[in-house]
Amino acid sequence: MGFFRRRGRQSDAGRPATPPLSRAVALYEAGRYAEAEAEARTVARSRPRDEQYAPLALGIAALATGAQGRHADALATYDEALTAAGGVFGAGHWQTLKLRSDRAQQLTALGRHAECEAESREIARTAARGSGPEAQVVAAAARNALVFALNAQERHPEAEVLARHALADHRAPDRLSLVLRLGLARSLNGQARHEQALAEAERAGELRRSLPEEERRPETGAVELAVATALLGSRRAGEARLQAAAAHEACLASFGPDHRRTLEARTLLARIDGST
């Protein structure tokens, strides 16, 4: 779960200076992932390893790499970022925990769901003991990764309980609430409670439409996938195919053919076609 803190230092003249990562963040939020990766890696190479911008730059590079579907490369970049972050921030700092949480989500993209589960549980426990809003957001993001990992292991009732608790604790109408609600819909679909899943997916769609574009973009295709799965389970295959095709087209354009969500949409399309 990527989120960025725009907190620039002050210039000598008292005017806000432009942080070194501003361009990389802007490129990522605009969906220009290859350019964002290149910019962030350039910043990382240019900064001393004991400066805070080095691990943060590597973290943005990892996010952008994963958004292009290169999940193994993203995982390796997170490992490099965490080595730097441990020395700069310390193991318990929210920035380090955020990097670990983002890394855990790449584990799910690589099918390493049990590892993601164990890592996310530990991150959530550690972050929940922290103070300040950043630590609490990291805790919620780790619970979201845990919901995904549980669903991927077909432990849907556990995922449902966790998603509902996380949504009760995190009430802000933001991207984190969106992904938690999508995780809840996935858990309901996994239990063949398709009408409830469709209702949750539609609520997620309403929330997504209310968010600014830079927060909507990383979840491209996710609502349509949840809706399509629920429709297929409700034996509305024609409607399901329209949603799944829209998800696949959008994911292919945004993330490329190798991204986990593009692959999921392609698999769902094949499943729909095989059921008709």
Side-chain angles (χ1 to χ4, degrees):
M1 171 66 57
F3 58 95
F4 303 109
R5 301 283 293 176
R6 292 178 175 78
R7 189 175 292 172
R9 59 182 175 81
Q10 295 291 312
S11 67
D12 293 339
R15 297 184 301 274
T18 301
L21 289 169
S22 292
R23 186 168 184 271
V25 170
L27 288 167
Y28 178 86
E29 291 183 339
R32 295 162 62 180
Y33 299 124
E35 294 172 76
E37 178 193 355
E39 174 68 16
R41 291 189 188 280
T42 296
V43 173
R45 287 192 296 268
S46 71
R47 315 303 294 198
R49 286 295 178 176
D50 60 352
E51 183 188 271
Q52 65 171 336
Y53 288 114
L56 297 182
L58 287 168
I60 294 172
L63 275 174
T65 301
Q68 296 170 75
R70 292 167 35 224
H71 302 297
D73 290 345
L75 190 68
T77 304
Y78 277 121
D79 289 340
E80 186 180 357
L82 281 165
T83 298
V88 174
F89 301 117
H93 192 276
W94 74 268
Q95 290 277 23
T96 306
L97 294 174
K98 175 192 177 297
L99 287 169
R100 286 180 62 190
S101 179
D102 289 345
R103 178 187 181 276
Q105 293 188 54
Q106 293 302 314
L107 291 171
T108 67
L110 293 167
R112 295 162 59 177
H113 306 305
E115 293 176 66
C116 176
E117 177 188 352
E119 178 73 348
S120 298
R121 286 190 190 280
E122 183 180 344
I123 296 165
R125 284 194 297 267
T126 303
R129 294 195 295 267
S131 59
E134 294 94 345
Q136 298 311 305
V137 171
V138 171
R143 286 194 287 271
N144 171 63
L146 180 55
V147 167
F148 195 98
L150 291 171
N151 275 323
Q153 296 174 82
E154 299 186 358
R155 291 157 60 187
H156 303 297
E158 293 176 70
E160 178 189 357
V161 170
L162 181 60
R164 290 192 187 280
H165 285 166
L167 281 164
D169 290 341
H170 187 85
R171 297 181 177 274
D174 57 12
R175 183 185 162 214
L176 188 47
S177 290
L178 170 61
V179 294
L180 285 167
R181 195 162 294 283
L182 287 168
L184 176 57
R186 188 181 290 265
S187 74
L188 294 168
N189 271 323
Q191 297 174 75
R193 291 157 58 188
H194 301 298
E195 291 301 324
Q196 294 176 58
L198 182 58
E200 288 297 340
E202 288 173 344
R203 291 188 190 101
E206 292 175 6
L207 174 56
R208 185 179 186 275
R209 287 189 291 274
S210 73
L211 297 176
E213 180 61 30
E214 65 270 16
E215 292 188 41
R216 296 198 303 268
R217 187 173 284 109
E219 303 315 314
T220 294
V223 171
E224 291 84 354
L225 275 173
V227 169
T229 304
L231 289 170
L232 180 61
S234 301
R235 300 186 179 182
R236 296 160 63 180
E239 295 170 80
R241 197 185 196 290
L242 290 174
Q243 291 288 327
H248 182 259
E249 182 178 352
C251 290
L252 193 60
S254 293
F255 308 127
D258 299 322
H259 191 273
R260 65 168 180 82
R261 199 175 300 141
T262 310
L263 296 174
E264 183 179 355
R266 193 177 306 148
T267 300
L268 183 57
L269 275 172
R271 180 182 161 202
I272 293 169
D273 290 341
S275 71
T276 56

